Amino acid sequence: MAWDASPCDIWGVDVQKHCNALRARRDRILRSLELPAYRDAQNQQHQVVRHYLDRSRELASACLFVADAGLTVPTMVFLRVLCEDLFLITWAARSEANAARLANAGVEALAHLAAVNLERGWMHVLKKDSREDHTRPMLPKIRKMAGDRLHIEQIARNVGLGGVYDVVYRPASLEVHGKTFGVFSSNEGSGAITPTLIAIISVLDVIMLVADNCVLRGGATEPSEILGRLFGPE
């Protein structure tokens, strides 16, 4: 069967409404990133926060494509990724030390990746001119660069968002790891994608709140305010 309209249109007004709301959040993030406080940020903490806000802008744009195409699996994957970014941006906004730790996390992750591949023989360190193998003497230095890995559950609980980890992040992780056979169906239409879109919109709202409180107002966001925005008042 062929049609010209997107699944988003076919599912009806409800999904289209949430896609429009998601688009509005994406556009608001774009406007925020153009503000001098974000665009010209010199403070490393603000630069790290801007990085995660810009990631949320890109993820929101991608989510619009997959939601409009009626793809429930990647929409759930985007929810999980945004949820993890919420934990990280909140942690970075708490202190300059946390932000500095995150700023170096990419190098540490690459060092860990390299160490694993070197230890297992998939990679080698070779001297450029002689092609002499220097893997063995280099391994301790690379392991030292890897440092202690960040654990997302610990970060979530440290910033008071353990409930978000348990209620939102854990279920969304099932789709990321492909452990959904007999659990979730990709053929449930708007009944499957609508709650995921609503959750994504809420997470984006909180990411923007955390970023603005840090960069524009110079403060951190209390867990109670984040939880209230996500789950409503107690």
Side-chain angles (χ1 to χ4, degrees), residues 118-157:
L118 290 167
E119 288 168 353
R120 296 177 182 176
W122 301 115
M123 293 170 56
H124 299 276
V125 178
L126 303 178
K127 193 172 182 180
K128 189 173 182 180
D129 50 358
S130 67
R131 310 298 291 174
E132 182 182 354
D133 194 320
H134 283 252
T135 302
R136 187 178 294 276
M138 286 298 298
L139 251 178
K141 299 177 182 178
I142 294 172
R143 286 198 200 100
K144 187 175 180 180
M145 288 175 61
D148 296 325
R149 299 175 69 187
L150 294 173
H151 297 283
I152 196 65
E153 181 176 2
Q154 182 180 348
I155 287 175
R157 300 198 186 284

Side-chain angles (χ1 to χ4, degrees), residues 11-219:
W11 288 349
V13 176
D14 190 46
V15 174
Q16 188 65 61
K17 176 183 71 175
H18 296 305
C19 284
N20 289 340
L22 177 57
R23 185 173 292 104
R25 267 65 172 189
R26 188 275 314 273
D27 292 347
R28 183 186 156 195
I29 292 171
L30 280 168
R31 292 193 298 271
S32 291
L33 289 168
E34 288 301 313
L35 294 174
Y38 282 106
R39 188 184 64 240
D40 305 325
Q42 300 299 315
N43 177 293
Q44 187 185 52
Q45 182 185 34
H46 291 180
Q47 291 173 347
V48 170
V49 169
R50 180 184 64 193
H51 166 76
Y52 283 102
L53 185 63
D54 191 42
R55 270 177 58 89
S56 72
R57 183 268 313 165
E58 189 166 332
L59 289 164
S61 295
C63 186
L64 281 168
F65 283 109
V66 299
D68 189 61
L71 303 175
T72 59
V73 172
T75 304
M76 182 69 80
V77 171
F78 284 132
L79 171 59
R80 198 257 203 179
V81 175
L82 283 165
C83 205
E84 185 160 338
D85 279 11
L86 169 60
F87 302 144
L88 294 174
I89 195 174
T90 304
W91 194 62
R94 284 289 180 88
S95 72
E96 293 184 0
N98 289 350
R101 180 76 172 82
L102 270 182
N104 200 46
V107 172
E108 292 174 353
L110 286 174
H112 176 74
L113 180 154
V116 169
N117 281 278
L118 290 167
E119 288 168 353
R120 296 177 182 176
W122 301 115
M123 293 170 56
H124 299 276
V125 178
L126 303 178
K127 193 172 182 180
K128 189 173 182 180
D129 50 358
S130 67
R131 310 298 291 174
E132 182 182 354
D133 194 320
H134 283 252
T135 302
R136 187 178 294 276
M138 286 298 298
L139 251 178
K141 299 177 182 178
I142 294 172
R143 286 198 200 100
K144 187 175 180 180
M145 288 175 61
D148 296 325
R149 299 175 69 187
L150 294 173
H151 297 283
I152 196 65
E153 181 176 2
Q154 182 180 348
I155 287 175
R157 300 198 186 284
N158 283 347
V159 296
L161 301 180
V164 181
Y165 184 95
D166 290 335
V167 175
V168 183
Y169 184 89
R170 284 186 189 276
S173 295
L174 295 176
E175 202 69 85
V176 172
H177 299 300
K179 299 176 180 178
T180 56
F181 179 79
V183 179
F184 298 137
S185 170
S186 297
N187 302 314
E188 294 177 5
S190 61
I193 206 166
T194 296
T196 307
L197 283 172
I198 293 171
I200 286 172
I201 290 164
S202 295
V203 171
L204 285 171
D205 281 341
V206 175
I207 287 175
M208 286 188 284
L209 173 69
V210 171
D212 285 350
N213 280 348
C214 179
V215 174
L216 303 182
R217 304 180 188 100

